């Protein structure tokens, strides 16, 4: 009585292996070992109150700092007297 369940298990496990033999192999993608420079926004996660003392090291960071300050200004625009909601 044990032969039929074992036979079914063997057939079930062997079927995907036999079907896979006829297929072509997937193309191999070769990656280079050289690291890629990913631009990092240093000021993205800084709280708005820390931006006043922040120093940018180059032109890219100056642009990022300026964009972050503008985002903070837009966020708190409603709390500035004379420009906020009335």
């Amino acid at each position: 009585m044990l032969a039929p369940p074992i036979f079914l298990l063997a057939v079930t496990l062997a079927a995907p292996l036999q079907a896979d033999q006829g297929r072509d192999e997937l193309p191999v993608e070769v990656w280079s070992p050289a690291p890629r420079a990913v631009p990092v926004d240093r000021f993205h996660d800084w709280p708005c109150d820390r931006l006043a003392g922040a120093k940018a090291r180059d032109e890219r960071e100056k642009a990022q700092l300026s964009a972050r300050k503008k985002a903070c200004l837009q966020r708190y625009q409603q709390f500035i007297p004379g420009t906020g909601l009335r």
Side-chain angles (χ1 to χ4, degrees):
M1 282 291 172
L2 291 176
I6 292 175
F7 176 73
L8 290 175
L9 179 64
V11 170
T12 305
L13 293 176
L17 294 175
Q18 290 174 353
D20 200 29
Q21 290 175 355
R23 294 184 187 166
D24 293 333
E25 297 232 2
L26 294 175
V28 176
E29 185 175 333
V30 179
W31 293 8
S32 67
R36 297 180 187 160
V38 178
V40 177
D41 190 358
R42 200 175 80 152
F43 305 107
H44 182 268
D45 295 330
W46 284 31
C48 293
D49 57 348
R50 270 187 69 195
L51 293 176
K55 302 284 183 190
R57 294 179 280 198
D58 58 7
E59 293 299 320
R60 182 179 48 86
E61 284 189 359
K62 284 182 185 178
Q64 290 173 352
L65 181 60
S66 176
R68 178 70 175 134
K69 285 181 178 180
K70 285 180 185 177
C72 286
L73 180 63
Q74 288 176 354
R75 184 176 172 190
Y76 295 108
Q77 188 77 31
Q78 62 183 337
F79 301 112
I80 298 174
T83 59
L85 300 174
R86 294 179 186 198

